Amino acid sequence: MPSTGEPSIFSRIAAREIPATIVAETDRVIAFNDIAPQAPVHVVITPKTSEYANVVELAAGDPDLLAELVAVASGLAATLSNGQFRLVFNTGETVGQTVFHVHAHLLAPQGAGGPLEEGTLGFR
Ligand code: 5GP
């Protein structure tokens, strides 16, 4: 989807223009609880820059930033869950991408909780 030129919803969260429960932040990455969780732990992790629409663009354009995003995910899984996690990058409208500012979904059990359901993102 072409950029509208408007700040993305995630840029507005990073700028504190829209409230969200922020659970981690570095100079270049921000992580916050998803507004419609699909797993006991469901965190959106996104670069503060809106320059990359999806993970393919991010991997090609700034692999270090992608690695930083994965490191933030791993750290959050260790503190919020049991260190094991699912990391999902929806890439394209037909697979459910709705926000065209690259982001990962961190999905994990809460604390030492049981396994995520297979064949789903987390719940259901
Ligand atoms: P996508 O469908 O693009 O892979 O993921 C976008 C995610 O952003 C969805 O899981 C959706 O629930 C979440 N989301 C959309 N708007 C907001 C918002 O204003 N606040 C928060 N915390 N999450 C949002």
Side-chain angles (χ1 to χ4, degrees):
M1 176 180 282
S3 167
T4 58
E6 295 291 312
S8 75
I9 188 118
F10 296 160
S11 293
R12 298 187 66 203
I13 287 172
R16 274 60 174 184
E17 291 171 11
I18 293 177
T21 302
I22 294 167
V23 293
E25 185 169 18
T26 68
D27 285 350
R28 301 212 294 163
V29 172
I30 190 158
F32 48 88
N33 287 338
D34 197 288
I35 203 167
Q38 295 188 53
V41 171
H42 185 172
V43 176
V44 173
I45 309 169
T46 187
K48 291 181 179 175
T49 177
S50 60
E51 187 177 349
Y52 307 105
N54 59 52
V55 69
V56 177
E57 290 185 12
L58 177 61
D62 194 340
D64 288 347
L65 183 53
L66 175 57
E68 185 173 333
L69 190 153
V70 172
V72 169
S74 172
L76 281 169
T79 54
L80 301 178
S81 187
N82 61 9
Q84 299 178 15
F85 59 94
R86 193 170 285 162
L87 199 60
V88 174
F89 291 89
N90 291 330
T91 305
E93 260 172 299
T94 60
V95 299
Q97 188 174 6
T98 58
V99 179
F100 292 84
H101 173 158
V102 60
H103 56 281
H105 296 260
L106 170 68
L107 302 150
Q110 190 87 54
L116 294 180
E117 276 185 49
E118 277 309 316
T120 70
L121 278 181
F123 289 140
R124 291 179 295 178

